[in-house]
Amino acid sequence: MRGMLLLMLACDAGGPALDDTAVLDDTDVLVDTGAPPWTSLSLVPGWTSTEPGYGTGAGWGDIDGDGDPDLIIAYGNDMHRGPLAVYLNQDGVLEESASWTSAEDHYYGHLAVGDVNGDGAVDVAVSRFLGDGRFGDPGGVEVFLNNGGALEDRPAWEAPELFYSFSCALGDVDLDGDLDLAVAVGEAYFGEPDLSRVYLNDGTGDFGASAWTTETPRHAFDVAWADFDDDGWLDLAVANGGSGHTLYLNEGGRLAETPAWIAEGEPEDFEGNTLDWGDVDGDGWLDLVVSDNDQLGGDGTVGLYCGPDLERCWSSADEPAMQSAVSLEDVDGDGTLDLVAGAWWGSVRVYLNRDGLSATPDHIAEPRTVIEAFAWADVDGSHDRVVTLSGDRLVAVPGRARVLSVTGGVAGDGWITGPGAIEAEVLAPAPRDLAVSNWDPNVGNQLFSRE
C-alpha cells in the first residue's frame, strides 16, 4: 500500500471516544471496536420532500457554511424539466421544500459536489441528460458556483459541446490540487454511442474544452474516480450499456487512451446504471460494484468485481430488476463494507457483509419507489468528531467521511489530493443517514435515518 496516513483527534463533539491518535492504512475504515454497535438503518423514511418532480441526482454539501450538510437534488431525468434544488439543513432538520432552486429547469441527471474554485465553499456539477427538446436534443454538463453561502442561480460554466449525459464525477486527475470533471456520455433509448469526456480545471472552476475522451464510443451512464491499481493516481471507472464496463488507468496525471480492463460477458448483458468502489473483501485492493438494469435487455443484477484484477466475484441472487443506485457503506458498523442497492419500482435493499456479501438482501425498506441515487451524511451531527488527516499527494478519506477543510490540496468524493503535503480536518467515520432521490413525483425524495 502507498504509505500511511495519520489521524489525530482535534476535538470531541460527542459520541464514543477515540484514542488520541490512530495510524491507519489509507483504505481502512476507522471503527471504535470498544464502543456499542452502530445503530441500524431505518427501513422507513423519516423525511420526505414535498414538491413534485422527477428527482434524479443527489448529493450532500454544506452550501450555506453553517456546518450542517445540506441536501442537493437535481430534477428532470427524461420526463419533465426540473431545477437543481437545495434543501437546507437547520441544526439537523432538513427543510421539506427547497429554499433554493436554479433559475432554469432542465432534464437534469446525476450530480457531483466539491470545491471547484478553491474558495473553501462547495460547488455543484450536474449532468443534463437531455436538451430542452428532450430525446431529439442533447444536453451537456453544468457547474454552479457557491457565492457567499448560496449557489448562483445560473451555471458559471457549461461544456462547449452538447451531448447526452446521465452522470458526472469530480476528481483531481493530475494531482494539481483542483478538481477535474469526468462526464459519462450516452443515451441508449434512441441515441448512438458517444465518447465520455474529462475536462481539466484551471483552478477557478473553468473547465475549458475536453482534454480527454474515451477511445471508443459507448453508451456510458456513470463514472467514478478511484485509485484501483494503488499507484497514487486516480483512475476512472465507467459503467456502460451494451458493452462491458471499463477502467482507464491514470498514467502520471493523464488517463490512458485504451481501457486496462473491460468486464467480461455478452454485450447485451450490460446495462450499467450506477457504480461505486470500496474494499469489500478487505484484501487492500479496491473493488468495483456496478448495477445492470434490465429495461433494455441487461441481466438485471448487481455485480461486484474484486481487485486487483476486477474479476466478477459476486452477483445478486434475488429477482432480476431495473437496478439503479448502488453504494458501499458500513451499515452495521462491524468494520466491513456492506452493499446498499435500489431499483426502479423497487426498494432500498441491504446486503450485509459477513465473510462476504449476502446473496440476497438481509433488509428491504418500504415503500417501493423509483430509486435514482443514494447519498450519505450524518444529518444531525450527533456523531461528529473532528480529526486531522495528513498525507502526501493522494489520501483516501477513511469511511469517505465529510471533509471540512484542506490545506495543500482539495477534497473530492472520498479522496484528498494535491501536488505535495496535505493536511485536512475531516469527520471521523460514523453512522450516516441515507438520502434517496426519487423519480416518482407522487412520493418525493426520502431520508432513511439511523435508528
Side-chain angles (χ1 to χ4, degrees):
M1 302 302 298
R2 295 183 310 279
M4 304 292 283
L5 57 88
L6 179 66
L7 271 79
M8 298 176 290
L9 189 64
C11 64
D12 191 342
L18 297 175
D19 294 334
D20 286 343
T21 61
V23 179
L24 303 177
D25 186 88
D26 62 3
T27 56
D28 283 347
V29 176
L30 182 62
V31 174
D32 184 355
T33 56
W38 287 356
T39 53
S40 61
L41 188 69
S42 171
L43 299 181
V44 178
W47 171 92
T48 303
S49 62
T50 56
E51 56 258 280
Y54 294 90
T56 303
W60 293 97
D62 184 7
I63 298 295
D64 57 4
D66 67 351
D68 299 319
D70 307 307
L71 179 62
I72 306 111
I73 297 289
Y75 287 95
N77 205 296
D78 60 356
M79 295 301 295
H80 190 278
R81 284 181 291 176
L84 184 67
V86 175
Y87 297 82
L88 291 177
N89 180 346
Q90 303 293 343
D91 297 322
V93 179
L94 280 180
E95 57 188 5
E96 294 179 351
S97 181
S99 58
W100 178 93
T101 57
S102 56
E104 296 182 349
D105 293 350
H106 294 292
Y107 293 99
Y108 283 121
H110 290 198
L111 59 84
V113 180
D115 179 8
V116 302
N117 61 353
D119 66 352
V122 292
D123 313 299
V124 179
V126 59
S127 286
R128 286 178 57 185
F129 184 39
L130 309 177
D132 291 340
R134 207 159 174 244
F135 283 101
D137 188 13
V141 65
E142 301 175 349
V143 173
F144 289 79
L145 294 181
N146 188 332
N147 187 359
L151 295 179
E152 296 178 351
D153 290 342
R154 300 179 187 275
W157 178 86
E158 300 180 55
E161 310 98 330
L162 296 179
F163 42 74
Y164 300 97
S165 175
F166 195 60
S167 184
C168 60
L170 290 167
D172 187 3
V173 66
D174 48 10
L175 297 188
D176 63 352
D178 57 45
L179 292 172
D180 308 303
L181 180 62
V183 184
V185 177
E187 187 280 289
Y189 293 109
F190 308 104
E192 295 296 322
D194 202 347
L195 302 175
S196 293
R197 295 160 165 82
V198 170
Y199 295 88
L200 295 181
N201 190 349
D202 69 357
T204 71
D206 186 339
F207 294 87
S210 60
W212 177 90
T213 65
T214 51
E215 87 301 347
T216 300
R218 292 182 173 87
H219 289 122
F221 294 97
D222 198 15
V223 286
W225 296 101
D227 184 10
F228 286 93
D229 61 355
D230 196 38
D231 68 347
W233 298 87
L234 292 176
D235 311 306
L236 187 67
V238 184
N240 298 309
S243 62
H245 312 308
T246 47
L247 176 68
Y248 295 85
L249 294 180
N250 189 329
E251 299 174 342
R254 183 175 176 83
L255 295 177
E257 294 181 358
T258 57
W261 170 80
I262 302 177
E264 295 183 357
E266 297 299 322
E268 60 270 18
D269 291 338
F270 296 101
E271 196 178 330
N273 181 278
T274 306
L275 52 77
D276 198 14
W277 54 268
D279 185 6
V280 177
D281 55 12
D283 66 352
W285 294 96
L286 292 183
D287 310 312
L288 179 68
V289 62
V290 189
S291 62
D292 281 296
N293 203 294
D294 66 358
Q295 187 182 54
L296 298 178
D299 67 9
T301 66
V302 178
L304 180 69
Y305 300 86
C306 286
D309 298 325
L310 295 183
E311 294 182 356
R312 186 150 177 156
C313 54
W314 176 90
S315 297
S316 58
D318 42 318
E319 287 293 321
M322 294 183 187
Q323 307 285 0
S324 56
V326 288
S327 182
L328 296 172
E329 178 82 2
D330 185 5
V331 174
D332 56 5
D334 66 354
T336 63
L337 290 174
D338 310 300
L339 170 65
V340 183
W344 300 342
W345 295 279
S347 301
V348 175
R349 314 186 309 277
V350 179
Y351 303 78
L352 293 177
N353 186 350
R354 300 187 180 112
D355 296 322
L357 292 175
S358 305
T360 56
D362 295 275
H363 305 291
I364 300 177
E366 293 294 341
R368 292 170 63 88
T369 60
V370 185
I371 296 166
E372 284 292 342
F374 293 150
W376 298 86
D378 182 9
V379 177
D380 64 4
S382 59
H383 302 279
D384 283 1
R385 288 162 292 157
V386 181
V387 296
T388 299
L389 182 152
S390 62
D392 187 68
R393 289 174 57 82
L394 178 69
V395 173
V397 181
R400 293 166 78 167
R402 186 154 66 101
V403 179
L404 304 178
S405 64
V406 182
T407 301
V410 67
D413 192 22
W415 303 93
I416 300 176
T417 55
I422 303 165
E423 186 169 289
E425 284 193 336
V426 306
L427 297 181
R432 301 193 295 179
D433 310 303
L434 174 63
V436 178
S437 59
N438 195 342
W439 178 96
D440 188 340
N442 298 313
V443 175
N445 307 295
Q446 299 172 325
L447 180 70
F448 295 83
S449 300
R450 295 295 174 120
E451 295 180 327

